Amino acid sequence: MSREVIATPHAPAAVGPYSQAIAANGFVFVSGQLGLVPETKQFAGETVAAQTEQALENLAAILEAAGTDLAHVVKVTVYLADIASFKEMNEVYSAFFPAQPPARAAFAVRDLPLGALVEIEAIAVLPH
């Protein structure tokens, strides 16, 4: 089995004992990303839309560091602090996956780290 830790300064550093991503056997498993701006470690905004956009930009940066991109994402999980914000998240999300979007689950959870409104994790394949 091949296993490689993926890390990039273009996404927020892990806030606990985990890696930004792990590449293993042709897949990249990206840890949940919050809407934190890497340079400031502050949320990109106080709306679900702003945090969704930044979380997906962070996800894209990690995928790039791993040698892949959003077009190679096969599964996404979206965690929302409030399911009522699903539509707002979905409007931003759809711009990042305009064609042949990946499989996805989205649901509300009781709380998210640092008081985030959204957290997004993904699994992608590495291009051959």
Side-chain angles (χ1 to χ4, degrees):
M1 177 182 105
S2 65
R3 181 182 185 278
E4 176 187 357
V5 172
I6 306 300
T8 177
H10 301 294
V15 295
Y18 62 89
S19 299
Q20 287 176 327
I22 298 289
N25 294 337
F27 290 93
V28 179
F29 301 86
V30 182
S31 294
Q33 295 301 301
L34 304 178
L36 297 172
V37 177
E39 297 80 17
T40 66
K41 311 289 189 282
Q42 301 295 313
F43 285 110
E46 295 182 15
T47 66
V48 169
Q51 290 187 26
T52 298
E53 182 173 0
Q54 186 63 53
L56 288 166
E57 288 176 2
N58 294 340
L59 189 85
I62 294 167
L63 291 170
E64 182 179 335
T68 190
D69 56 28
L70 291 172
H72 288 86
V73 172
V74 296
K75 176 69 167 77
V76 173
T77 304
V78 178
Y79 305 95
L80 296 164
D82 183 352
I83 199 65
S85 61
F86 178 84
K87 182 179 178 186
E88 184 180 353
M89 174 279 298
N90 214 38
E91 288 173 358
V92 174
Y93 178 95
S94 64
F96 283 80
F97 298 102
Q100 299 181 336
R104 184 181 83 181
F107 49 92
V109 296
R110 182 169 164 80
D111 292 307
L112 289 168
L114 307 176
L117 301 176
V118 64
E119 181 175 356
I120 304 173
E121 67 179 20
I123 300 170
V125 293
L126 291 166
H128 290 73

